[in-house]
Amino acid sequence: MSFDFAEYHNLRTDIQRRKSANVVPVIGRDVVFRETTETTMVDAKEGVKRGANSGSVFIAGQQLSGRGRRGRSFVSAPDAGLWSTFYFTVEEPREALLVSLVAALAISDAFKELFELIVDIKWPNDIQVAGKKISGILPDLVSTDSTLEMYLGIGINIKTPSDLPEEVSAIATSIEKLGLEPPSRERLLANLSFFLETRLMQAKIDSANLILDWKSQLVTLGKRIRLATPGEDVTGLAVDVTAVGELVLELEDGSRSSYMAGDVHTLRIED
């Protein structure tokens, strides 16, 4: 479970030169790797306390206590995926609101580049292929007196462990399970870092088209869903998203409401 820093930096520099006019990379410029860790999110926050630069990414071969949304455990088996947390600062609160969208599109861009594969986005931040999750996103914003610090956790399933619990296997997939050639972590991270930087810039200067790109891959729209929010469960038809990625539901009484967070459960017609 090693990481080849020289190979990674060559790949990261190459894609930057080919696609971005030799601009010096910022996102993914510095990489911190641990073979085994509790979570890369904790590693990132501790790294920042020690002086890590904005744009740094913290990765691990295995996470022992990986966490997803709402504190759920996230399976991060040894050498089976890219387990990462990116650290960077943002200038405006609105940019922070768009980070999940940015990450989803960056993952999508990386899959197109590497595999010519179009993925689906399930609101708010799951990446799916044929209805099964292949990647997850966990943003954590920390506001200080002078900066807005973003910690962006991204997990991508490269291989499917043989001992994966059946209940997880039923809803998850991996690059290998799709019959694709698994890339090295170095190549996958180089592509992800580049496209994350590209989409972050788009969020800053052209957020309207960022939303349109994200919306075009959002499979939640047009479906009748039950949304489990921190306050209550609501049922309705997912009809739109707002300019900051909130999900707009048409409720049973015909009114419309927007939601920033929640778990989506697609309902059958008879439900």
Side-chain angles (χ1 to χ4, degrees), residues 243-263:
V244 291
E246 296 169 311
L247 184 64
V248 180
L249 291 187
E250 184 177 281
L251 305 179
E252 294 179 345
D253 63 2
S255 65
R256 293 189 175 190
S257 245
S258 58
Y259 301 87
M260 178 56 74
D263 285 341

Side-chain angles (χ1 to χ4, degrees), residues 10-170:
N10 286 337
L11 291 165
R12 180 69 178 89
T13 302
D14 176 66
I15 191 171
Q16 193 83 15
R17 286 175 176 168
R18 285 190 290 109
K19 293 182 174 290
S20 194
N22 293 329
V23 175
V24 176
V26 174
I27 300 296
R29 179 177 53 193
D30 299 329
V31 181
V32 178
F33 171 75
R34 297 180 68 182
E35 288 192 1
T36 302
T37 189
E38 290 301 314
T39 77
T40 58
M41 184 71 73
V42 170
D43 291 346
K45 291 180 178 180
E46 291 179 348
V48 170
K49 289 178 182 177
R50 295 192 296 267
N53 295 316
S54 179
S56 296
V57 57
F58 297 77
I59 64 173
Q62 177 185 15
Q63 292 185 121
L64 300 177
S65 304
R67 288 289 178 267
R69 286 181 294 117
R70 305 180 80 172
R72 295 190 183 93
S73 61
F74 184 89
V75 177
S76 312
D79 215 22
L82 177 64
W83 321 126
S84 63
T85 295
F86 292 84
Y87 161 70
F88 51 90
T89 58
V90 295
E91 295 177 0
E92 302 290 339
R94 189 173 186 279
E95 292 175 43
L97 292 174
L98 295 174
V99 162
S100 286
L101 286 64
V102 162
L105 288 170
I107 296 165
S108 173
D109 293 340
F111 272 72
K112 289 179 190 175
E113 177 74 14
L114 291 168
F115 312 114
E116 298 182 350
L117 178 68
I118 304 298
V119 300
D120 295 324
I121 301 171
K122 178 186 175 185
W123 190 92
N125 49 19
D126 283 350
I127 308 301
Q128 297 182 330
V129 178
K132 291 192 173 185
K133 182 174 178 176
I134 198 166
S135 178
I137 300 162
L138 181 65
D140 187 8
L141 179 67
V142 176
S143 179
T144 70
D145 291 339
S146 56
T147 59
L148 294 171
E149 298 181 341
M150 179 59 67
Y151 297 87
L152 177 62
I154 296 177
I156 299 177
N157 302 330
I158 298 177
K159 300 178 181 180
T160 300
S162 58
D163 59 350
L164 191 68
E166 186 175 334
E167 64 272 17
V168 178
S169 182

